[in-house]
Amino acid sequence: MTNETDPWDALRRFTAARIALGRAGSSLPTAPLLAFELAHAQARDAVHQPLDTAALAEAIRAAGFDTLDVRSAAPDRDHYLRRPDLGRTLDEASGARLADHAAAMNDAPELVFVAADGLSAFAAQRHAAPLLRSVRAKLEAWNVGPVVIATQARVALGDPIGERLRAKIVVVMIGERPGLSSPDSLGLYVTYAPRAGRSDAERNCISNVRPEGLDYDAAAFRLMWLLNEARRLKLTGVGLKDHSGALPPGTDGRMLEA
């Protein structure tokens, strides 16, 4: 009996996709079947796992940022999943807390980060603080407000948060819908002049932030490029095209001179 090299083995190294799994009769072999069931369970857990806000706040403060806690109008996970509209609205107590904080600030912040559970608390728990550590050194020229930790949150919850804090730009770091190979993917949504009623066409998105996808340093570079351009052009969304990938290393997110 001869041992033959499977030509698919070399290709599997370049993708997390499930390719060339083989078969046992009319089904999958046991190992890939169990791996699929594990990935499916991890994706479901990512949706339902609550965010440990205390641990996340501690990690973010260790990265050098102040924090505030808020929640959406969705009273629990069941309502959050069935009523996306509630996840886009602050509950009354959170709105009042943000208004009180804004009144106590001497200057309105240029930039506010929101760390939100979204559809994967795993993503915010694992990646929000490391990303903030990567981007912190690039923010010397920015007036940055507290990082707002939001639960039962949709992307658009960043709009009333930024509006209450009178921020010029809000960055929502939120857990993306989990997939069968990425239950902990973090998305970054950048909105200039946030206010309730903004549409998704008025945001820029950086997706798949995690060590196995877009790593923290690369995400921080791309984010700073968008932030600097948003501040210069006074807009985000379809009017702001992300050309950061065309810039050479060492530009630190600044627009090259023409």
Side-chain angles (χ1 to χ4, degrees), residues 5-258:
T5 301
D6 186 344
W8 286 96
D9 286 342
L11 296 178
R12 290 193 195 99
R13 294 183 291 122
F14 299 103
T15 178
R18 289 173 168 79
I19 61 171
L21 300 180
R23 68 181 181 182
S26 60
S27 184
L28 290 172
T30 300
L33 178 61
L34 292 177
F36 176 86
E37 291 178 347
L38 174 61
H40 187 255
Q42 289 173 329
R44 288 170 51 188
D45 287 348
V47 172
H48 294 284
Q49 177 74 23
L51 183 65
D52 187 341
T53 56
L56 181 57
E58 182 178 356
I60 290 173
R61 287 194 293 268
F65 297 84
D66 294 329
T67 62
L68 286 172
D69 288 355
V70 302
R71 59 177 299 122
S72 77
D76 52 46
R77 202 63 174 171
D78 185 55
H79 281 83
Y80 171 80
L81 294 172
R82 291 189 293 109
R83 291 281 307 275
D85 58 310
L86 296 178
R88 303 183 185 111
T89 307
L90 287 165
D91 76 349
E92 187 174 341
S94 296
R97 186 177 309 120
L98 291 173
D100 289 344
H101 186 86
M105 290 190 298
N106 294 326
D107 299 309
E110 287 184 282
L111 176 62
V112 165
F113 289 93
V114 178
D117 50 5
L119 288 169
S120 173
F122 289 161
Q125 201 84 57
R126 295 169 181 171
H127 308 313
L131 174 67
L132 288 170
R133 284 196 294 270
S134 289
V135 80
R136 179 169 175 74
K138 308 177 189 299
L139 293 171
E140 291 97 345
W142 289 77
N143 176 12
V144 182
V147 176
V148 179
I149 299 174
T151 52
Q152 312 297 5
R154 301 281 176 172
V155 170
L157 191 67
D159 296 334
I161 290 172
E163 186 176 21
R164 295 295 178 95
L165 293 176
R166 297 174 291 151
K168 289 185 178 179
I169 303 175
V170 66
V171 177
V172 178
M173 309 176 293
I174 191 167
E176 297 180 311
R177 186 184 303 275
L180 293 177
S181 60
S182 57
D184 63 341
S185 178
L186 189 73
L188 311 179
Y189 291 82
V190 184
T191 308
Y192 186 85
R195 63 176 184 271
R198 284 292 198 194
S199 73
D200 288 341
E202 297 172 290
R203 316 184 200 285
N204 289 83
C205 176
I206 300 171
S207 188
N208 197 29
V209 178
R210 58 193 184 104
E212 301 83 2
L214 186 68
D215 66 42
Y216 304 133
D217 288 341
F221 172 80
R222 184 170 295 180
L223 176 61
M224 287 308 306
W225 192 93
L226 287 172
L227 289 175
N228 287 326
E229 284 299 281
R231 181 164 63 174
R232 184 177 72 89
L233 298 173
K234 297 181 170 54
L235 59 81
T236 48
V238 295
L240 174 56
K241 305 304 181 185
D242 182 359
H243 298 300
S244 60
L247 299 182
T251 56
D252 194 26
R254 292 177 296 238
M255 190 71 173
L256 292 178
E257 293 295 336

